[in-house]
Amino acid sequence: MLATHALVTPIPKLTALLSLSTTRSSKSSASVPGFINFYRRRRFCRVITSMAGAGSISIDVAGESRSEHVTGKWFSVPELRLRNHRFIVPLDYSLNSKTSPKITIFAREVVAVGKEEQVMPYLLYLQGGPGFESPRPSEASGWIQRACEEFRVILLDQRGTGLSTPLTSSSMLQFKSAKDLADYLVHFRADNIVKDAEFIRVRLVPNADPWTILGQSFGGFCALTYLSFAPQGLKQVLITGGIPPIGKACTADDVYEAGFEQVARQNEKYYKRFPEDIEIVREIVDYLAASEGGGVPLPSGGILTPKGLQALGLSGLGSSTGFERLHYMLERVWDPILVPEAPKRISQFFLNAFENWHSFDTNPLYALLHESIYCEGASSRWSAHRLQEKIECKLNATKAVNESQPVLFTGEMIFPWMFDEIHALNPFKDAADLLAEKEDWPPLYDVTTLKNNKVPVAAAVYYEDMYVNFKLVMETASQISGIRLWITNEYMHSGLRDAGRQIIDHLLGMINGKKPLF
């Protein structure tokens, strides 16, 4: 799931607003042994917190102490005050806390100026991805400004991202084998992100009170994991563009099968807006296919092929300004002919823009873990690649050119060939293959607990979301007791970035009773 630029062309308010409510059950929430054992262990610890900025010291029953929470000093950006928190957490919560390797989790606390000492409820933000760090505020704006009116906002760098022991294209080279890396990466999914969040909550929130969480995109997936296994830590849940499919061992196939229809619609809308790009894209495909090796070298050392060109749809088709950004990029695809009879060449501008488009060099976890976020007890086996083979006639760029048809861009899909063609991903190809074949993934959701949910939940569902299929969202929502949905086609997947204040205000209104149930 991608992280969430302003609407250039307004989307018609065809489906403006729909609120749904389902019946809550009186049954108690279930849990899984890993979370139960984690909380049992925490009850045997006393935590002494220093408010002078040094952090907190955890003292276990054996008398051993060590710093596990360090708090920084307040600093400012316009209209906001911020301070940093660093926590030392187990890499693997299933192991004894003394023997598990440790990693650092970074979180940034944000409040409105003047509210540093005020008693306010906490809101934890869970970023989209997987594999992307939390926002870095430079001023009070958007959803953060609105949230700070009534919350202390905690911007969590999920494990492996930002300043949370980051797994980068350089740091991961420290592993001696693909198996060692794959064995390490299995600890970076939603289940452990939620355990990190609970580790932080009981140390940061006064009296370890429950907090509100806001999950964007993949962060919404994490929110449902939170609701499944640690609902006692939650006061309210807000979700924007992030309700996952649940109930099967691997739902990746369902995602790609259901999502292709929306991807095709986005391609159609793109070419209607920019019809001249049909011929430009065909021309690029012809040029790449005729080049030595089936593509042209990229500045970093990879190769741009027709398949890579089609992958521009991952970012270009699903966000509010994606169409425009893609079009302006294609405008500058060719170098000008300055000398008569000079050969035609793709411009350095375009090649650099292509490499910067996906951020695989700075956020490789997205490619490595993307399909695993759909796995519970089964392997993905490169789901998007297998599905593409079934519909090759629709996605074959060369065939489309030969038949004078538009070349379709692909959507949010990670393919094994990316680890051959994208330089930043080359070293991790074998680890990616191991993760794609892994079968014993632990559970991410508990359907029974979700059906008996008692935590208030409000979710913004974007009707034309390319990344989170509407049909699958509705199937999942029907299994979450008490959830209220705001269904709209006014925004795309990037709604929280584009109109954050309005969206947060609307969701809080729903969850706090200011909006009617029907």
Side-chain angles (χ1 to χ4, degrees), residues 308-456:
L309 180 72
Q310 289 175 279
L312 287 173
L314 192 159
S315 296
L317 297 186
S319 61
S320 62
T321 60
F323 283 14
E324 289 76 21
R325 290 166 54 225
L326 178 56
H327 172 69
Y328 296 144
M329 184 175 165
L330 292 172
E331 280 185 332
R332 298 185 60 183
V333 66
W334 303 112
D335 270 338
I337 301 298
L338 305 178
V339 178
E341 300 182 3
K344 188 174 187 176
R345 293 187 59 174
I346 292 180
S347 70
Q348 192 74 7
F349 170 88
F350 183 85
L351 296 176
N352 281 322
F354 174 84
E355 289 205 305
N356 293 331
W357 190 265
H358 297 309
S359 302
F360 288 133
D361 57 338
T362 56
N363 299 86
L365 278 186
Y366 177 80
L368 283 161
L369 294 180
H370 179 68
E371 290 197 348
S372 77
I373 67 175
Y374 299 109
C375 296
E376 300 181 88
S379 61
S380 72
R381 297 183 296 116
W382 290 115
S383 177
H385 180 69
R386 288 186 289 103
L387 178 65
Q388 187 183 30
E389 290 180 336
K390 293 181 181 180
I391 55 176
E392 180 66 19
C393 59
K394 297 180 180 179
L395 294 177
N396 188 308
T398 303
K399 184 174 184 291
V401 170
N402 292 338
E403 296 179 356
S404 298
Q405 296 295 318
V407 174
L408 299 187
F409 295 101
T410 52
E412 191 184 29
M413 303 169 185
I414 298 297
F415 301 102
W417 55 260
M418 291 178 170
F419 291 83
D420 296 313
E421 298 184 6
I422 299 173
H423 179 73
L425 299 180
N426 289 166
F428 315 121
K429 176 179 174 61
D430 291 342
D433 285 334
L434 290 173
L435 292 171
E437 296 300 323
K438 179 179 171 61
E439 295 182 349
D440 57 339
W441 293 105
L444 294 172
Y445 313 107
D446 187 309
V447 175
T448 300
T449 300
L450 293 174
K451 287 182 176 180
N452 296 321
N453 172 58
K454 298 182 184 300
V455 178

Side-chain angles (χ1 to χ4, degrees), residues 17-174:
L17 171 65
L18 176 61
S19 295
L20 300 179
S21 179
T22 56
T23 305
R24 297 179 183 174
S25 170
S26 61
K27 294 184 180 179
S28 61
S29 297
S31 186
V32 294
F35 279 85
I36 294 174
N37 291 336
F38 172 59
Y39 289 110
R40 284 174 177 166
R41 288 199 299 271
R42 297 317 312 163
R43 282 200 294 269
F44 289 104
C45 293
R46 303 185 280 129
V47 177
I48 301 175
T49 303
S50 167
M51 300 307 293
S56 66
I57 301 295
S58 173
I59 305 177
D60 63 24
V61 291
E64 179 184 350
S65 67
R66 63 183 182 85
S67 177
E68 58 180 18
H69 174 200
V70 176
T71 304
K73 296 181 179 179
W74 289 104
F75 65 97
S76 299
V77 301
E79 299 184 51
L80 296 176
R81 295 279 283 165
L82 310 90
R83 64 177 174 181
N84 302 334
H85 298 268
R86 286 176 169 84
F87 302 86
I88 305 300
V89 308
L91 171 69
D92 184 352
Y93 284 91
S94 69
L95 300 178
N96 184 288
S97 61
K98 294 181 181 179
T99 59
S100 171
K102 302 299 189 295
I103 59 174
T104 297
I105 298 298
F106 174 86
R108 181 169 280 130
E109 183 179 357
V110 186
V111 298
V113 169
K115 293 187 175 182
E116 297 91 331
E117 303 302 324
Q118 285 190 21
V119 176
M120 293 186 295
Y122 282 68
L123 181 146
L124 172 72
Y125 176 67
L126 297 170
Q127 171 68 24
F132 289 88
E133 62 273 15
S134 235
R136 268 52 182 168
S138 58
E139 62 180 0
S141 61
W143 74 263
I144 292 178
Q145 183 180 40
R146 171 62 183 88
C148 284
E149 292 175 3
E150 54 189 278
F151 293 99
R152 289 183 176 271
V153 174
I154 305 299
L155 300 175
L156 172 67
D157 281 354
Q158 296 164 13
R159 52 170 53 201
T161 74
L163 293 174
S164 292
T165 309
L167 295 178
T168 66
S169 54
S170 55
S171 69
M172 288 190 293
L173 295 176
Q174 298 172 28

Side-chain angles (χ1 to χ4, degrees), residues 433-498:
D433 285 334
L434 290 173
L435 292 171
E437 296 300 323
K438 179 179 171 61
E439 295 182 349
D440 57 339
W441 293 105
L444 294 172
Y445 313 107
D446 187 309
V447 175
T448 300
T449 300
L450 293 174
K451 287 182 176 180
N452 296 321
N453 172 58
K454 298 182 184 300
V455 178
V457 183
V461 177
Y462 308 127
Y463 186 73
E464 296 181 324
D465 197 325
M466 190 185 77
Y467 303 108
V468 181
N469 181 263
F470 178 75
K471 178 182 177 181
L472 298 180
V473 165
M474 298 306 290
E475 290 177 0
T476 296
S478 69
Q479 301 181 75
I480 305 172
S481 178
I483 190 171
R484 294 190 61 200
L485 303 182
W486 171 31
I487 301 173
T488 177
N489 75 337
E490 185 175 1
Y491 307 108
M492 297 183 71
H493 190 74
S494 55
L496 188 63
R497 177 185 297 172
D498 303 331

Side-chain angles (χ1 to χ4, degrees), residues 191-207:
D191 49 352
N192 284 302
I193 292 170
V194 169
K195 291 173 184 175
D196 291 340
E198 278 295 273
F199 187 101
I200 292 170
R201 181 184 64 83
V202 300
R203 289 159 177 78
L204 185 62
V205 181
N207 303 313

